[in-house]
Amino acid sequence: MGSLLEQLKQEFKEFYPEAGSPRVFFAPGRVNLIGEHTDYTGGFVMPMALDLGITMLTAPRKDGVFRLRSKSFEQPVEFSIEDLKDDSKADKKDTWGNYPKGVVIELLKLGAPVTGADILYSSNLPTGAGLSSSAAIGMATAFGLAEVAEFEVSKQELAFLCQRMENNFIGVKSGIMDQFAVGLSKENHAIFLDCTSIEYEYVPFELEDHKVVITNTAKKRGLNESRYNERREEAEEALKQIAEMKPNVKSYRDLSLDDLSLINALRYPYRERARHIVTENHRVLEAKAALEQGNLTQFGQLMLASHRSLSLDYEVTGKELDTLFQVQLEAGCYKTRMTGAGFGGCTVSLVKEDEIDQFIEYVRANYKERTGLDPEFYIAKGSGGVREIGEED
Ligand code: ADP
Ligand code: MG
């Protein structure tokens, strides 16, 4: 990365000629490998960090002013600590700057001695594609500013801080998975997270000769949020109905595959929604075991089963994701599934390096023929979580 970093430092200097030499931080994007629509019911998820992410260059200021630029957005953003209030809400005119601004507010609430900064962000992560660029910009900012201010805080605390920023300041209802994966991931590992206890475990994930290919359906985001909320409500209602039959059930975590016959007594759509959640949690546990045994084939089969359950039982795929899935199978990829909330968005596939060109060519042509849409492909490896990067990177 040497020369690229030099170039960024040069740009930083041009934007902020009077600033000192900047420190450089990197926060990865993430992809969820398995465990979809299980987070808000306190279940299991297993994401990994990607080597695509957001790089932040920052030098401190003493006057309480923050000046921000992003190479992904035209508009610079500036604000002063004096103008921030604990209960401020995102301001439309700050556009993308709301994410770092929300982070600064949360850091100040924790008592971090931040006194202003000049910042430049550069990203090779697509924004709004479901690879969690929002958690990446949040965690890069939170970690970077905390380090520069020599403020002692764990990455886990920073993950919660960024979740509060997105929930309360930006106003996005989201779980902790994204910030956790972006903050705490370890290279060559996936991260298994229990969304009830927030306990996590690193799971060895040797990609061998595979790479992670993320394919964007290129479907325009539409009424996704309302459908997402509808699923959350259906999942809650299904649990209520199950608890009426089996009173000691307080959460989906009290259910196992043995309860499927009970679940089958419910009606559509509650039966289907509950069945997905219970079987998906089980698949995450199986997927963890498969990775621990280095069994990528078994892992792939669980990815396929996860997609089918999300398509048939949870009904969050839609035409585009199902067509993409089908085309990928035809291309000979058996380690693939939708990832993210669904209704468009991306698939995640593990593809052998020397088959990637062929895979992309087949999927591009056939997906376009069937949907009229041009898919986008991102090829990635795994990565560690948020960190400072030096000259040698
Ligand atoms: P996702 O997290 O799936 O990428 P979100 O809608 O949650 O999508 O977050 C995207 C938002 O995060 C962008 O609209 C922008 O405000 C902010 N963001 C992401 N990447 C950058 C970047 N490189 N520079 C500045 N802001 C960014
Ligand atoms: Mg996001």
Side-chain angles (χ1 to χ4, degrees), residues 1 26-30 48-54 124-125 187 211-212 379-384 387:
M1 203 196 264
F26 174 80
R30 69 95 189 91
M48 71 182 282
L50 304 171
D51 63 344
L52 306 172
I54 298 183
N124 57 2
L125 189 64
E187 202 157 356
K211 281 207 166 174
V212 181
I379 300 168
K381 294 188 293 186
S383 153
R387 57 192 179 269

Side-chain angles (χ1 to χ4, degrees), residues 194-239:
D194 178 335
C195 297
T196 296
S197 64
I198 315 297
E199 283 169 340
Y200 61 97
E201 245 180 87
Y202 294 111
V203 186
F205 187 28
E206 293 300 339
L207 278 166
E208 295 161 23
D209 48 353
H210 293 74
K211 281 207 166 174
V212 181
V213 180
I214 291 143
T215 310
N216 195 334
T217 55
K219 182 183 183 227
K220 285 262 170 311
R221 283 187 172 188
L223 295 164
N224 298 358
E225 204 174 328
S226 66
R227 281 151 148 191
Y228 175 80
N229 290 336
E230 188 181 279
R231 289 299 176 277
R232 288 184 76 132
E233 282 158 25
E234 288 167 349
E236 214 173 290
E237 174 59 25
L239 185 68

Side-chain angles (χ1 to χ4, degrees), residues 32 34-47 175-177 191-200 235 239 251-255 276-285:
N32 191 21
I34 194 159
E36 214 65 77
H37 284 278
T38 46
D39 56 343
Y40 50 82
T41 47
F44 305 126
V45 295
M46 198 156 69
I176 187 69
M177 169 173 74
I191 185 165
F192 169 87
L193 176 66
D194 178 335
C195 297
T196 296
S197 64
I198 315 297
E199 283 169 340
Y200 61 97
L239 185 68
S251 104
Y252 276 98
R253 291 291 291 285
D254 300 325
L255 297 166
H276 167 73
I277 294 168
V278 170
T279 58
E280 184 77 352
N281 277 326
H282 186 73
R283 278 186 290 273
V284 182
L285 294 174

Side-chain angles (χ1 to χ4, degrees), residues 75-187:
Q75 187 191 337
V77 175
E78 188 171 324
F79 59 89
S80 169
I81 288 180
E82 280 172 18
D83 306 328
L84 302 178
K85 297 197 183 64
D86 280 4
D87 59 350
S88 308
K89 289 275 178 269
D91 184 341
K92 263 208 168 115
K93 78 170 173 32
D94 288 331
T95 66
W96 64 271
N98 279 307
Y99 290 80
K101 191 173 179 182
V103 165
V104 170
I105 292 173
E106 291 296 335
L107 279 171
L108 289 169
K109 279 196 224 171
L110 285 189
V114 289
T115 55
D118 290 326
I119 300 180
L120 172 64
Y121 299 97
S122 172
S123 173
N124 57 2
L125 189 64
T127 59
L131 300 184
S132 216
S133 67
S134 61
I137 191 166
M139 287 299 285
T141 310
F143 182 74
L145 293 180
E147 284 288 300
V148 170
E150 294 183 6
F151 181 59
E152 290 246 347
V153 58
S154 69
K155 286 180 179 169
Q156 183 160 338
E157 269 180 85
L158 292 178
F160 284 116
L161 181 152
C162 286
Q163 186 196 16
R164 290 198 296 278
M165 178 274 286
E166 286 208 43
N167 289 177
N168 305 335
F169 188 72
I170 306 290
V172 176
K173 225 179 180 183
S174 63
I176 187 69
M177 169 173 74
D178 295 356
Q179 292 81 6
F180 235 80
V182 168
L184 285 99
S185 283
K186 199 159 100 174
E187 202 157 356

